[in-house]
Amino acid sequence: MSTTQTDRLREMLEPLTSAAGLELEEVAVTPAGKRRMLRVVVDSDEGVQLDAVAELSREFSAALDASDVMGGAPYVLEVSSPGTDRPLTEPRHFVRNTGRLIKVQLAEGGELVARITGVDDEGLDLEVPGVKGRRPTARRLAFAEIAKARVEVEFNRKAPADTPDLDDDADGDTDPAADNAESTEEA
């Protein structure tokens, strides 16, 4: 049986998230003055549309109102997709960011900035940009070699002529501001 409030929230929200074709990435309850903030982060391989987040927020709100998992104190519900600053911690996070530039802190020390070209069960195939006019080089990195990783935001990346624009989202949305869809409701 679940013992923490976060576990109980996950158990309640996971089926609703799955039914919407999304994955529940994170659930966090934090104090916010006299209220509490319930942050729920959802994602999918295809990205998350704002309409889906808004609908899921309404479903979460109805489920929370019908239960006592949040207790009697007021809270604010925030449902969003992961932002670009979210740490990449699971293999699926790297898959979803194939084609993007990432910054990796290596477990052995040091740092690496490279573009993800492929992901499998063991690790990543990367393209390390060339320095001072040199050509980019390929590098293989096992998941065990990664201490931390995050997406590096690129504002002016030029897509090669023979490949699709990798800065476009899978949902066809080229607006970087839409990458972090969010809906907030107050209970």
Side-chain angles (χ1 to χ4, degrees):
M1 180 170 170
S2 296
T3 57
T4 68
Q5 182 181 37
T6 302
D7 290 340
R8 292 190 309 272
L9 285 164
R10 271 192 171 281
E11 286 176 8
M12 177 192 304
L13 302 177
E14 187 90 51
L16 297 171
T17 308
S18 295
L22 301 171
E23 295 175 5
L24 186 61
E25 289 285 335
E26 181 181 337
V27 175
V29 179
T30 56
K34 294 181 181 182
R35 301 172 186 259
R36 293 167 295 157
M37 176 70 74
L38 169 55
R39 287 191 173 91
V40 182
V41 178
V42 297
D43 202 2
S44 81
D45 290 341
E46 294 79 36
V48 181
Q49 296 291 321
L50 183 58
D51 290 343
V53 170
E55 178 61 31
L56 200 53
S57 180
R58 286 188 288 274
E59 291 179 27
F60 286 172
S61 184
L64 290 163
D65 288 347
S67 79
D68 65 347
V69 72
M70 286 300 292
Y75 65 92
V76 175
L77 170 63
E78 178 183 286
V79 181
S80 66
S81 63
T84 56
D85 61 342
R86 176 207 38 199
L88 306 175
T89 57
E90 302 287 331
R92 69 177 181 268
H93 298 160
F94 292 97
V95 170
R96 290 177 184 154
N97 286 289
T98 299
R100 293 189 184 247
L101 196 65
I102 62 170
K103 180 184 263 185
V104 178
Q105 289 183 344
L106 302 170
E108 65 198 29
E111 196 171 83
L112 174 68
V113 175
R115 188 166 313 282
I116 302 173
T117 57
V119 182
D120 60 29
D121 292 339
E122 274 81 53
L124 313 171
D125 292 319
L126 301 170
E127 180 182 85
V128 181
V131 179
K132 296 183 182 179
R134 294 189 180 149
R135 297 176 86 64
T137 57
R139 178 162 178 187
R140 177 75 181 167
L141 195 59
F143 288 122
E145 296 176 83
I146 301 172
K148 292 182 182 178
R150 291 189 185 272
V151 170
E152 284 287 285
V153 177
E154 296 177 90
F155 292 106
N156 59 356
R157 176 166 181 235
K158 296 176 186 165
D162 61 341
T163 62
D165 185 358
L166 295 173
D167 286 338
D168 285 353
D169 291 348
D171 59 11
D173 179 3
T174 57
D175 179 9
D179 282 352
N180 189 11
E182 184 174 301
S183 176
T184 304
E185 291 189 19
E186 196 166 316

